[in-house]
């Protein structure tokens, strides 16, 4: 076999380590040298040594399969080994303690599966560097250095097939180019095979073109980070799962998801979408990284946020695969619950949902499945009314639509109150979650409310209150509703002052209402803040006076960021046609002016970035 | 022009000297990342010279002459120096790498850089291409091929031969488009054949792959015609092909190239005519030709041919009948190989 012919393969001098000695006796010598320092587990070392011997160069399907099967564990072991080598004072010491090391590393270096993989190759090379002595102090170390150079040189330059080499020489084809060309050719051939349609007849004795899928995916385990193999990996992932024989190997999916989380993949967008479809952990990873990046950045305009969400391709993936959407929704549900309806999370969910709906609309009709499948838990009666965009409906119908929504939700909530069962709770939560997903209607509600106050505002106010206080738990909806009405009256009288200075006492009591909790704005103060911003934007009051009110109140209550956030979401809706058209221009200018004012006030920023980070981390911790 | 030529030759000499120094001298001890990158840049320059001028016999002669001088002086300077030929220059980066990695004076820091595993694949061919991870990428693609090879049985010639067949076509097309004399192109094929002396079967696969390359342009048709003409003259190669290639490949070739089909028929007839009847064993055997083909294998070849080219069935059979008649037209087995062949083929 190959290793007996390789010169200089014995790292340790013959007295220490020879091929004639069995690995077990070498391990016993490891025990003898044991000191207080924790050593590698002897049994584990023995296990890997045996494996390395059994695998050889992993050039048969069986050894290759077994190598791939043990891949993850081997990487962990190499990591330990590396730490161990680096803790030794010298190569001489390493050799004394672990005389089998050279044999072990040498064998792994010639195992195709292990050396082809980015991570294990890196670890192997690091182990070799760890054994290289810059200033060799004795014969063992000099010999080790020579051996390391030799192994690496052979790995990079040796050609196994002399005929191939000679032929390349006469055709002027350099080896590095040749390997790359052959690899591309193989990838193309296999990609073609994978792309072949399934011809399984149901007869288990017959061969099917899908039979090779499992083996191909297993072989790709060490190649997940290899850019040349990306087309094949993409083809494997995107193969429609129509045949029972077309399974992808779990190891393959695990390898992909771990490469994905360390940004080691070079796959095209459709392949990434298929990866999410196949691998839950990759999907979670993608969702969490989107959450983290969006929540860390509270200052960007929502259009930017929308761009970022669309660029994540997640909404598109959701439209293509219902199961991805269901997972994404579950993640959003859990984040919402944990953050008690954090405003940034809510706007993320709303924007995400509208991106998703846009992608759904862009899909070819034959690929579209019913929206109901995407929202199995939502109250079906509310589904279509809420998923309809305000811009898809005549503006005159808005008020009626919202009144209907309000009464439907009210009924649902009352049923919950009377039953007090968990199922009832669940129903209300799902209704509220759908409202959050479609919360562009809440901006319309705010506008209509402010513009029609004080007449006929009961249902709209209820809807707005429900959005901020979905449960009775700690919220006490009836009380909140009373408070909201008081705040509304308060704001109406404040914004109705036509001349003279602003009444100080009214301003002050508004500040008091808003600053009920110093740490984090409570749902009720957020509701009042929404009303305040709504008045500032939509109420028929001069811009100067409106600005003055908003400025004074948010400054004193310390809610500058939150007010800016409400303004941004109003602005985004405005651009999407969720604003009464006659008013659009005026409203746009007012929002811009108010935003400028808030930006100038913005002195010390709240530590929102850190908050978001902690938030996503705690979610990540919980989902794993 | 002349000044340009002078500069090229000077650069060539410096590059070859650099190769020798990288492999043999302690100078590399002083090298750093920049020196190493520059060395690889010079090596790429040489590779570029080859691809630019290899079809220009006058230029090749001038450069070869220059290389002779340089080799001579380097031989004197370094013991054990092996000469660099013009065609070697096409693998100049490889030669540089082999030299460096075998030189014990190469600083370990540079070695670590070449084997770096963190840098992404270098796809741009900019002048300042980084050599970080150069070896790591070679290792990756080389061993990735090994991982995938057991799965690529759908290609009968194999991915390796396909790549080389494609390369052969490229080289042939380049030579033919230059209007080079026939003998130069033939010489090229001869030298390729010579390189494969130990492994004639691999060479047959490469030729097959080249002949089975889809004909997308007139250049490809011309290259394949040239290859077929050359093959007609190289009877031994043809014999190896027909006896060693799997039946399906022979069928593909016969279907695609009339010239190959005719040569194949002629070879089969020759094999048959070389057969003698062994009275002891009661079978037809080939006595004096290598590789030997059994009577059964021979009939299989005929059947393969008929399957690939049904239109040929009658023609070939008529020829066989004529040959049987010339042998006396007896319907007794063991008298005429043609008669016995026909009786098996008509079954």
């Amino acid at each position: 076999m190959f290793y007996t012919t390789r010169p200089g393969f014995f790292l340790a001098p013959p007295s220490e380590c020879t091929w004639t000695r069995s690995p077990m006796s070498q391990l016993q010598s490891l025990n003898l040298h044991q000191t207080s320092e924790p050593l590698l587990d002897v049994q584990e070392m023995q296990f890997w040594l045996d494996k390395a011997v059994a695998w050889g160069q992993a050039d048969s399907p069986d050894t290759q399969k077994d190598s791939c099967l043990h891949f993850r564990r081997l990487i962990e072991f190499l990591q330990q080994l590396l730490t161990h080598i680096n803790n030794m004072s010298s190569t001489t010491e390493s050799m004394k303690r672990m005389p089998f090391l050279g044999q072990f590393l040498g064998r792994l270096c010639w195992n195709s599966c292990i050396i082809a993989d980015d991570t294990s190759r890196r670890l192997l090379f690091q182990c070799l560097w760890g054994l290289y002595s810059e200033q060799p102090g004795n014969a063992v170390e000099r010999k080790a250095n020579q051996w390391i150079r030799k192994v690496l040189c052979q790995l990079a330059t040796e050609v196994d097939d002399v005929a191939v080499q000679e032929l390349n020489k006469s055709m002027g084809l350099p080896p590095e180019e040749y390997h790359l060309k052959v690899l591309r050719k193989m990838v193309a051939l296999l990609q073609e095979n994978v792309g072949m349609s399934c011809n399984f007849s149901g007869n288990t004795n017959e061969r099917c073109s899908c039979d090779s899928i499992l083996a191909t995916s297993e072989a790709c385990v060490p190649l997940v980070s290899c850019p040349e193999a990306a087309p094949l990996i993409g083809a494997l992932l995107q193969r429609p799962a129509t045949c029972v024989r077309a399974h992808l190997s779990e190891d393959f999916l695990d390898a992909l998801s771990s490469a994905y989380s360390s940004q080691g993949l070079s796959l095209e967008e459709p392949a990434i979408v298929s990866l999410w479809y196949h691998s839950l952990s990759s999907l979670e990873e993608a969702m969490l990284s989107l959450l983290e990046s969006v929540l860390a950045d509270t200052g960007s305009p929502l259009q930017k946020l929308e761009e970022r969400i669309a660029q994540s391709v997640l909404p598109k993936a959701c439209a293509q695969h219902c199961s991805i959407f269901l997972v994404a929704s579950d993640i959003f549900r859990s984040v919402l619950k944990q953050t008690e309806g954090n405003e940034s999370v809510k706007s993320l969910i709303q924007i995400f949902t509208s991106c998703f709906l846009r992608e759904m609309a862009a899909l070819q009709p034959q690929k579209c499945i019913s929206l109901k499948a995407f929202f199995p838990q939502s109250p079906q009666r509310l589904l279509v009314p809420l998923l309809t965009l305000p811009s898809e409906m005549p503006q005159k119908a808005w008020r009626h639509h919202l009144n209907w929504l309000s009464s439907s939700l009210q009924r649902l909530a009352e049923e919950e109150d009377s039953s007090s069962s968990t199922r009832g709770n669940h129903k209300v939560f799902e209704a509220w979650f759908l409202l959050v997903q479609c919360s562009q209607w809440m901006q319309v509600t705010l506008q209509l409310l402010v513009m029609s106050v004080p007449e006929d505002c009961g249902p709209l106010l209820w809807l707005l209150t429900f959005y901020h206080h979905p449960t009775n738990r700690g919220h006490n909806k009836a009380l909140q509703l009373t408070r909201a009405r008081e705040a509304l009256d308060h704001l109406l009288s404040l914004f109705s002052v036509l001349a003279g200075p602003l009444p100080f006492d009214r301003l002050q009591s508004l500040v008091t209402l808003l600053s009920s909790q110093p740490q984090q704005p409570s749902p009720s103060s957020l509701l009042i803040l929404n009303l305040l911003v709504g008045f500032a934007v939509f109420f028929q009051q001069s811009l100067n006076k409106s600005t003055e009110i908003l400025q004074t109140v948010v400054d004193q209550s310390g809610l500058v960021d939150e007010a800016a956030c409400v303004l941004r979401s109003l602005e985004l809706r405005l651009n999407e046609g969720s604003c009464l058209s006659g008013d659009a221009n005026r409203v746009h200018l007012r929002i811009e002016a108010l935003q400028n004012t808030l930006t100038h006030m913005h002195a010390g920023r709240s530590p929102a970035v850190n908050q978001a980070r902690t938030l996503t981390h705690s979610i990540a911790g919980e989902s794993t | 022009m002349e000044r340009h030529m002078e500069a090229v030759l000077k650069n060539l000499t410096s590059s070859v000297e650099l190769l020798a120094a990288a492999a043999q001298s302690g100078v590399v001890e002083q090298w750093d990342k920049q020196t190493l990158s520059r060395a690889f840049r010079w090596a790429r320059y040489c590779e570029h010279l080859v691809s630019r001028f290899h079809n220009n016999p006058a230029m090749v002669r001038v450069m070869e002459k220059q290389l002779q001088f340089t080799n001579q002086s380097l031989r004197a300077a370094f013991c054990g120096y092996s000469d660099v030929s013009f065609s070697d220059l096409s693998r100049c980066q490889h030669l540089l790498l082999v030299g460096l990695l075998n030189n014990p004076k190469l600083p370990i820091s540079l070695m670590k850089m070449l084997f770096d595993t963190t840098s992404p694949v270098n796809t741009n061919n900019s002048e300042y291409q980084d050599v970080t991870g150069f070896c790591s990428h070679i290792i990756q693609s080389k061993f990735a091929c090994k991982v995938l090879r057991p799965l690529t049985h759908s290609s009968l010639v194999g991915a390796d031969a396909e790549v080389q067949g494609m390369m052969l076509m490229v080289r042939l097309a380049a030579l033919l488009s230059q209007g080079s004399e026939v003998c130069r192109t033939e010489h090229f094929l001869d030298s390729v054949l010579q390189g494969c002396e130990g492994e004639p079967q691999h060479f047959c696969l490469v030729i097959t792959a080249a002949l089975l390359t889809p004909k997308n342009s007139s250049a490809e048709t011309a290259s394949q015609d040239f290859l077929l003409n050359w093959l007609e003259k190289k009877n031994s190669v043809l014999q190896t092909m027909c006896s060693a290639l799997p039946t399906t490949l022979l069928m593909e070739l016969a279907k695609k190239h009339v010239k190959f089909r005719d040569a194949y028929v002629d070879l089969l007839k020759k094999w048959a005519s070389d057969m003698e009847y062994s009275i002891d064993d009661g079978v037809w055997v080939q006595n004096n030709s290598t590789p030997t083909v059994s009577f059964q294998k021979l009939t299989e070849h005929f059947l393969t041919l008929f399957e690939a080219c049904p239109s040929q069935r009658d023609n070939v059979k008529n020829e066989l009948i004529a040959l049987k008649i010339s042998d006396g037209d007896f319907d007794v087995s063991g008298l005429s190989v043609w008669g016995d062949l026909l009786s098996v083929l008509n079954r």
Side-chain angles (χ1 to χ4, degrees):
Chain A
M1 283 177 89
F2 76 99
Y3 30 81
T4 51
T5 60
R6 285 183 198 287
F9 196 74
F10 315 112
L11 186 47
S15 61
E16 285 283 339
C17 160
T18 68
W19 288 100
T20 53
R21 237 158 129 190
S22 77
M24 200 58 217
S25 63
Q26 290 166 28
L27 287 170
Q28 276 152 4
S29 72
L30 171 80
N31 275 337
L32 287 177
H33 289 287
Q34 199 153 8
T35 56
S36 55
E37 238 177 283
L39 272 178
L40 289 167
D41 184 284
V42 178
Q43 274 181 339
E44 197 177 4
M45 186 69 233
Q46 181 64 52
F47 172 80
W48 290 114
L49 205 51
D50 290 344
K51 278 285 173 207
V53 173
W55 289 336
Q57 297 184 55
D59 39 16
S60 81
D62 285 343
T63 49
Q64 196 181 68
K65 193 178 164 159
D66 198 52
S67 301
C68 294
L69 208 67
H70 289 84
F71 219 70
R72 289 288 209 88
R73 275 176 61 201
L74 177 65
I75 283 172
E76 276 168 31
F77 179 70
L78 285 174
Q79 195 80 57
Q80 281 176 36
L81 195 62
L82 178 64
T83 318
H84 205 70
I85 292 173
N86 290 339
N87 283 342
M88 296 284 170
S89 63
S90 68
T91 304
T92 315
E93 195 198 345
S94 302
M95 291 325 303
K96 230 181 217 165
R97 297 265 185 93
M98 299 178 282
F100 48 84
L101 202 53
Q103 186 198 141
F104 180 64
L105 295 176
R107 279 177 192 273
L108 291 186
C109 277
W110 290 97
N111 179 314
S112 312
C113 293
I114 289 157
I115 198 75
D117 174 73
D118 267 357
T119 314
S120 50
R121 185 171 63 251
R122 179 176 45 91
L123 285 168
L124 275 177
F125 287 176
Q126 281 175 343
C127 286
L128 292 180
W129 299 134
L131 290 174
Y132 193 92
S133 319
E134 298 269 350
Q135 260 110 30
N138 54 39
V140 175
E141 290 176 5
R142 272 191 294 276
K143 194 145 192 187
N145 285 1
Q146 277 172 14
W147 176 75
I148 290 165
R149 280 174 179 269
K150 189 114 211 161
V151 166
L152 290 171
C153 175
Q154 283 174 337
L155 279 175
T157 59
E158 203 178 64
V159 181
D160 340 74
D161 196 331
V162 183
V164 168
Q165 189 181 18
E166 287 303 316
L167 204 64
N168 285 339
K169 228 190 230 176
S170 49
M171 290 193 297
L173 185 60
E176 56 276 8
E177 198 182 322
Y178 169 72
H179 294 311
L180 213 55
K181 281 190 159 142
V182 173
L183 179 58
R184 286 188 185 137
K185 183 86 222 170
M186 285 178 169
V187 165
L189 280 169
L190 290 169
Q191 193 186 348
E192 208 176 295
N193 284 356
V194 168
M196 274 198 297
S197 60
C198 168
N199 53 6
F200 183 51
S201 61
N203 180 351
T204 43
N205 295 325
E206 266 174 42
R207 276 191 63 77
C208 164
S209 59
C210 303
D211 288 344
S212 61
I213 299 296
L214 183 67
T216 309
S217 66
E218 270 165 359
C220 284
V221 169
L223 309 183
V224 290
S225 310
C226 173
E228 308 297 335
L232 173 59
I233 291 165
L236 281 169
L237 284 172
Q238 287 167 75
R239 200 171 198 284
T242 46
C243 178
V244 284
R245 297 197 186 176
H247 283 304
L248 291 176
S249 130
E250 283 298 320
D251 294 308
F252 170 66
L253 293 172
D254 285 349
L256 277 172
S257 80
S258 92
Y260 178 77
S261 63
S262 56
Q263 270 114 40
L265 285 187
S266 46
L267 294 180
E268 305 266 332
E269 184 187 293
I272 292 285
V273 172
S274 302
L275 174 64
W276 292 332
Y277 175 71
H278 285 288
S279 151
L280 185 61
S281 62
S282 301
L283 176 58
E284 279 177 347
E285 181 93 30
M287 284 294 293
L288 289 179
S289 98
L290 177 70
L291 273 164
E292 187 164 317
S293 84
V294 168
L295 298 184
D297 180 7
T298 49
S300 294
L302 290 181
Q303 281 96 325
K304 274 267 161 59
L305 218 59
E306 197 171 1
E307 266 171 39
R308 194 181 305 165
I309 291 170
Q311 274 164 10
S312 77
V313 197
L314 282 160
K316 195 178 188 175
C318 285
Q320 287 169 0
H321 301 280
C322 182
S323 60
I324 294 186
F325 182 80
L326 295 179
V327 172
S329 300
D330 268 346
I331 292 176
F332 284 144
R333 274 188 192 91
S334 118
V335 180
L336 261 182
K337 283 178 187 165
Q338 281 182 61
T339 58
E340 297 267 334
N342 173 295
E343 287 304 298
S344 309
V345 175
K346 276 158 127 180
S347 45
L348 164 63
I349 294 173
Q350 185 205 336
I351 297 171
F352 191 95
T353 311
S354 68
C355 289
F356 156 75
L357 290 171
R358 219 173 301 146
E359 294 290 351
M360 278 294 277
L363 275 186
Q364 288 163 330
Q366 65 266 28
K367 284 188 183 165
C368 239
I369 47 170
S370 150
L371 268 176
K372 280 185 183 171
F374 289 83
F375 299 88
Q377 304 189 55
S378 309
Q380 296 298 307
R381 223 154 41 94
L382 295 177
L383 192 57
V384 176
L386 270 172
L387 287 177
T388 309
L389 292 173
S391 57
E392 292 169 339
M393 192 183 278
Q395 293 179 1
K396 278 183 192 158
W398 284 356
R399 173 173 285 273
H400 176 73
H401 184 70
L402 288 168
N403 283 347
W404 179 85
L405 273 176
S406 177
S407 64
S408 303
L409 284 165
Q410 218 165 330
R411 214 171 313 132
L412 206 79
E414 278 160 12
E415 279 166 23
E416 175 225 4
D417 288 346
S418 60
S419 76
S420 78
S421 68
T422 36
R423 185 181 293 171
N425 271 332
H426 174 74
K427 256 169 96 179
V428 176
F429 174 79
E430 284 305 322
W432 177 69
F433 181 54
L434 185 63
L435 192 64
V436 171
Q437 286 175 308
C438 307
S439 54
Q440 58 276 10
W441 281 113
M442 298 321 296
Q443 277 107 37
V444 178
T445 308
L446 185 62
Q447 185 182 12
L448 291 180
L449 181 68
V450 171
M451 294 178 79
S452 64
V453 84
E455 288 142 33
D456 188 28
C457 57
L460 296 182
L461 193 63
W462 188 91
L463 196 56
L464 211 55
T465 314
F466 174 71
Y467 179 70
H468 289 278
H469 304 279
T471 67
N472 254 339
R473 179 176 54 87
H475 289 154
N476 196 342
K477 227 176 298 165
L479 180 66
Q480 297 305 337
L481 198 60
T482 320
R483 282 204 189 138
R485 180 164 291 281
E486 277 169 20
L488 191 69
D489 294 341
H490 208 93
L491 283 163
L492 181 63
S493 70
L494 191 59
F495 276 86
S496 305
V497 174
L498 291 176
L502 289 168
F504 178 77
D505 56 330
R506 284 191 204 159
L507 275 174
Q508 211 44 53
S509 60
L510 195 58
V511 171
T512 319
L513 271 178
L514 279 170
S515 5
S516 56
Q517 270 177 318
Q519 289 292 314
Q520 208 183 3
S522 68
S524 56
S525 55
L526 279 175
L527 168 58
I528 298 165
L529 183 71
N530 264 275
L531 287 170
L532 168 67
V533 174
F535 267 92
V537 173
F538 300 116
F539 199 72
Q540 296 288 341
Q541 170 61 281
S542 75
L543 179 60
N544 278 347
K545 200 145 254 172
S546 296
T547 310
E548 197 186 340
I549 299 172
L550 183 69
Q551 193 175 10
T552 316
V553 177
V554 298
D555 187 29
Q556 291 190 22
S557 56
L559 292 173
V560 182
D561 281 339
E562 288 73 10
C565 180
V566 177
L567 273 175
R568 277 200 301 271
S569 60
L570 285 177
E571 190 193 21
L572 184 68
R573 287 315 118 204
L574 182 71
N575 296 338
E576 286 177 1
S578 310
C579 177
L580 288 171
S581 56
D583 249 9
N585 201 32
R586 186 184 80 95
V587 167
H588 185 77
L589 290 172
R590 283 178 78 102
I591 290 178
E592 210 171 309
L594 291 167
Q595 270 177 332
N596 283 338
T597 312
L598 291 187
T599 316
H600 286 123
M601 290 167 66
H602 198 284
R605 163 172 283 222
S606 65
V609 176
N610 296 336
Q611 267 177 24
R613 203 157 279 275
T614 333
L615 182 69
T616 47
H617 281 173
S618 72
I619 297 159
E622 186 157 287
S623 70
T624 46
Chain B
M1 183 62 205
E2 203 151 286
R3 188 172 300 161
H4 174 69
M5 190 62 219
E6 227 170 78
V8 167
L9 293 178
K10 205 168 148 235
N11 287 338
L12 184 65
T13 301
S14 321
S15 304
V16 174
E17 284 170 356
L18 180 78
L19 277 184
Q24 314 238 334
S25 81
V27 186
V28 288
E29 233 169 334
Q30 312 301 322
W31 281 21
D32 58 9
K33 191 179 169 172
Q34 278 73 31
T35 331
L36 189 69
S37 291
R38 268 205 305 278
F40 273 93
R41 242 165 70 207
W42 280 113
R44 279 197 296 282
Y45 169 79
C46 288
E47 288 177 9
H48 176 72
L49 282 185
V50 178
S51 60
R52 171 88 177 71
F53 294 118
H54 71 97
N55 288 328
N56 181 337
M59 272 305 278
V60 173
R61 266 196 299 279
V62 174
M63 288 203 242
E64 268 172 348
K65 202 164 174 202
Q66 181 74 18
L67 282 172
Q68 263 175 20
F69 283 127
T70 317
N71 282 330
Q72 212 164 20
S73 58
L74 286 171
R75 237 177 283 143
F78 299 106
C79 68
Y81 171 81
S82 49
D83 286 3
V84 174
S85 68
F86 178 76
S87 65
D88 284 338
L89 293 179
S90 64
R91 314 174 293 129
C92 209
Q93 290 188 85
H94 177 73
L95 292 179
L96 174 65
L97 187 68
V98 172
L100 281 171
L101 293 181
N102 282 304
N103 187 343
K105 301 283 183 199
L106 178 71
I108 200 68
S109 58
L110 293 188
M111 213 148 159
K112 284 183 184 174
M113 201 182 87
L114 286 167
F115 285 87
D116 185 276
T117 45
T118 49
S119 67
V121 179
N122 225 326
T123 42
N124 60 334
N125 288 315
S126 73
E127 211 182 345
Y128 297 99
Q129 194 176 21
D130 194 0
V131 288
T132 310
F134 187 71
C135 292
S136 194
H137 297 316
I138 295 177
I139 292 171
Q140 184 180 50
S141 45
K142 183 161 124 181
F143 285 92
C145 289
K146 289 194 178 190
V147 171
L148 294 181
R149 189 160 289 126
L151 295 162
T152 49
H153 36 70
S154 68
S155 160
L156 283 171
V157 288
D160 308 70
E162 272 194 59
V163 165
Q164 290 183 317
M166 208 103 81
M167 194 65 199
L168 187 65
M169 290 291 284
V170 170
R171 294 299 309 273
L172 277 177
L175 279 165
L176 293 173
S177 72
Q178 297 284 313
S180 323
E181 309 100 70
V182 173
C183 71
R184 244 170 54 75
T185 315
E186 281 183 340
H187 176 75
F188 162 69
L189 283 173
D190 290 342
S191 70
V192 174
L193 173 63
Q194 212 174 1
C196 276
E197 227 160 356
E199 295 259 4
Q201 293 192 3
H202 179 76
F203 183 66
C204 289
L205 284 174
V206 174
I207 298 271
T208 308
L211 288 175
L212 292 178
T213 315
K215 283 189 264 194
N216 295 324
S217 64
S218 56
E220 273 151 357
T221 313
S223 302
Q224 287 180 348
D225 283 345
F226 191 92
L227 199 52
L228 286 166
N229 288 337
W230 179 80
L231 209 53
E232 271 185 331
K233 294 182 208 159
K234 300 281 168 196
N235 209 267
S236 64
V237 181
L238 192 69
Q239 286 219 35
T240 315
M241 275 177 86
C242 294
S243 60
L245 286 180
T247 324
T248 23
L249 281 179
L250 288 172
M251 277 171 76
E252 295 274 317
L253 285 171
K255 258 190 245 175
K256 195 170 173 195
H257 297 286
V258 177
K259 208 172 251 176
F260 179 83
R261 186 194 70 199
D262 293 346
Y264 185 33
V265 175
D266 286 344
L267 184 68
L268 293 183
K269 285 192 290 190
K270 189 185 169 296
W271 278 345
S273 69
D274 284 348
M275 285 190 164
E276 281 170 19
Y277 193 72
S278 152
I279 298 172
D280 295 341
D281 302 322
V283 282
W284 289 92
V285 286
Q286 242 180 342
N287 275 339
N288 42 12
S289 67
T290 46
T292 49
V293 179
S294 69
F295 184 77
Q296 196 202 338
K297 190 78 202 157
L298 187 67
T299 53
E300 278 170 22
H301 272 294
F302 273 108
L303 291 171
T304 303
L305 181 75
F306 293 163
E307 199 185 324
C309 320
S311 62
Q312 288 302 299
R313 184 188 290 267
D314 291 341
N315 287 348
V316 173
K317 274 194 184 168
N318 288 338
E319 282 179 52
L320 295 182
I321 290 169
L323 286 162
K324 183 192 166 201
I325 292 170
S326 69
D327 271 355
D329 201 14
F330 296 107
D331 280 327
V332 183
S333 71
L335 272 183
S336 160
V337 72
W338 313 114
D340 288 4
L341 256 179
L342 275 168
S343 72
V344 177
L345 296 177
N346 285 331
R347 237 177 248 163

